[in-house]
Amino acid sequence: MQLVKGKYAMNGIPVLDLVKKYDSPLYIYDTSVMKAQYERLVNAFSKTRVKIHFACKALNNINVLKYFQSIGTGLDAVSIQEVWLGIKAGFEPCDIMFTPNCVSLEEIELGMQENVHINIDNISILEQFGIKYGASYPVSVRINPHIMGGGNQKISTGHIDSKFGISIYQIPHVLRMVETNKMKIEGLHMHTGSDILDTEVFLKGAEIMLETAKNFKDLEFIDYGSGFKVPYKADDISTDIEELGETLSVRFNEFCKEYGKDLNLIFEPGKFLVSESGVFAARVNVIKHTTSTVFAGIDTGLNHLIRPMFYDAYHEIVNVSKPEGKQRIYTIVGYICETDTFGWNRRISEISEGDVLAFKNAGAYCFTMASNYNARFRPAEVLVHQGKDYLIRKRENMDDLLRNQQIMDDNLFISRKTKD
């Protein structure tokens, strides 16, 4: 979203026009930003056999998945349902990496039925799989390198107390299991967490993976996950992808020569590809003054955008209706019946009731984490592609809220008043 001639617009289309057309609250995504981020990542690792798998848990609308498939990405799926979505979106099974955690062998087997790559993240399932299938179906192993990475405890996944992956100290056990069951390990995987600031943390994990890889003789790829940080405000720090690409590419290529084989280098970004592509627009219902605070209450809540309350995540908020108005201090809150604050004491152009506010960085982990809490309908989604806007998800209504509920016979509930 850019400010052009006094109007906030996405790829040339004014945000206010989109809100007028599709109502609010409204999620809006721009494919040109997605493509630019994808190309930036590919170019940074152009000296390797790099493959980018979009982590669809970040934004799983099937039209977004179709777009990523069209520009050449693979897919990172963490549930069998995401696998099925990917197949419906047109991804070939060989381009889908299925990396669930704490699931049953039965769900792993559903992935096998789709012939996708399987990534196993615990000793129990690896052993069950090995005993039952041996070398008949190659698998990858998710390693926990015991590195603290990520901008928040809730999104740090590679430390010693994390539920994710097999401990680096359990590799001897894994090797015995692989040998005993004659398993074929085609890849190694790690993911240290999201919002990684220090590339040295990532490179340390990468080195641990390369050392571990020497123990496995049939590898086809090494998957380094992602966790690349994007900026959330003008002066924010982000991961230097170009620096990381230059350094890691050299080391990875050196390892491939030592290993005697050119391996594929896989990344599975979600936030990096779509966070900055998205804007969430909401209308101001009320301006509420207290003795200490001026609240701007909007027509949405943590049911639609939970990240600020769940992760203490920062989203820049701008007044789309008055981009160049005099700035004042506001606390932006939602309409949910519990505390749902989007931003405390924010400096925003003067807000009036009826104005439209826009949240930046709303492309990742926003709609996908939305709910019907307080029986509120989930919002519509719009995709801006090549200068045109497309409705890719209708706004929910009462029928959607009741769709899967089975209504019991009214005669089963006879009120006390009726009995009397």
Side-chain angles (χ1 to χ4, degrees), residues 38-58:
Y38 169 67
E39 291 178 344
R40 184 184 169 198
L41 197 52
V42 169
N43 290 337
F45 291 91
S46 60
K47 296 178 182 178
T48 67
R49 295 176 57 176
V50 70
K51 179 70 174 177
I52 308 302
H53 287 179
F54 172 53
C56 67
K57 60 182 178 290

Side-chain angles (χ1 to χ4, degrees), residues 29 34 54-68 75-79 81-86 88-89 91 270 274 362-370 378 381 392-393:
Y29 316 114
M34 300 176 190
F54 172 53
C56 67
K57 60 182 178 290
L59 181 58
N60 61 17
N61 187 291
I62 195 167
N63 297 285
V64 172
L65 303 191
K66 286 182 175 182
Y67 176 72
F68 276 115
L75 196 73
D76 168 56
V78 298
S79 69
Q81 291 81 6
E82 287 186 350
V83 170
W84 293 334
L85 269 176
K88 283 186 176 293
F91 286 93
V274 296
Y365 304 102
C366 294
F367 187 93
T368 55
M369 298 179 75
R378 287 184 294 179
E381 291 179 292
I392 58 173
R393 188 189 300 269

Side-chain angles (χ1 to χ4, degrees), residues 25 27 280 300-306 335 366-367 370-371 377-379:
Y27 276 103
F280 183 46
T300 184
L302 60 78
N303 56 321
H304 296 156
L305 179 58
I306 197 173
Y335 60 13
C366 294
F367 187 93
S371 73
F377 306 141
R378 287 184 294 179

Side-chain angles (χ1 to χ4, degrees), residues 58-215:
L59 181 58
N60 61 17
N61 187 291
I62 195 167
N63 297 285
V64 172
L65 303 191
K66 286 182 175 182
Y67 176 72
F68 276 115
Q69 190 277 332
S70 75
I71 63 174
T73 78
L75 196 73
D76 168 56
V78 298
S79 69
I80 191 60
Q81 291 81 6
E82 287 186 350
V83 170
W84 293 334
L85 269 176
I87 291 171
K88 283 186 176 293
F91 286 93
E92 295 294 331
C94 63
D95 291 325
I96 298 176
M97 181 73 69
F98 181 30
T99 309
N101 74 91
C102 296
V103 302
S104 65
L105 182 62
E106 287 73 21
E107 183 164 340
I108 297 290
E109 290 172 328
L110 290 174
M112 293 174 64
Q113 291 175 21
E114 303 296 345
N115 205 32
V116 299
H117 294 285
I118 303 291
N119 200 8
I120 297 178
D121 93 323
N122 66 81
I123 291 287
S124 176
I125 294 298
L126 187 65
E127 183 173 31
Q128 294 176 53
F129 188 97
I131 291 171
K132 190 169 183 179
Y133 296 105
S136 65
Y137 198 106
V139 294
S140 175
V141 176
R142 178 171 184 170
I143 304 299
N144 183 333
H146 296 322
I147 290 177
M148 188 66 179
N152 184 293
Q153 177 70 25
K154 294 176 182 177
I155 53 176
S156 297
T157 59
H159 57 85
I160 195 167
D161 293 319
S162 172
K163 70 170 182 171
F164 296 97
I166 297 173
S167 169
I168 193 71
Y169 300 117
Q170 293 177 301
I171 293 301
H173 188 176
V174 171
L175 292 172
R176 288 195 298 272
M177 194 181 303
V178 168
E179 183 178 1
T180 299
N181 296 307
K182 296 180 172 54
M183 300 176 70
K184 183 175 181 181
I185 304 301
E186 65 171 352
L188 294 180
H189 171 281
M190 79 165 190
H191 181 67
T192 57
S194 298
D195 281 356
I196 294 173
L197 295 174
D198 188 355
T199 57
E200 289 301 318
V201 173
F202 199 96
L203 292 170
K204 182 178 179 182
E207 196 61 41
I208 291 172
M209 285 282 283
L210 294 180
E211 284 299 313
T212 304
K214 294 176 181 178
N215 297 292

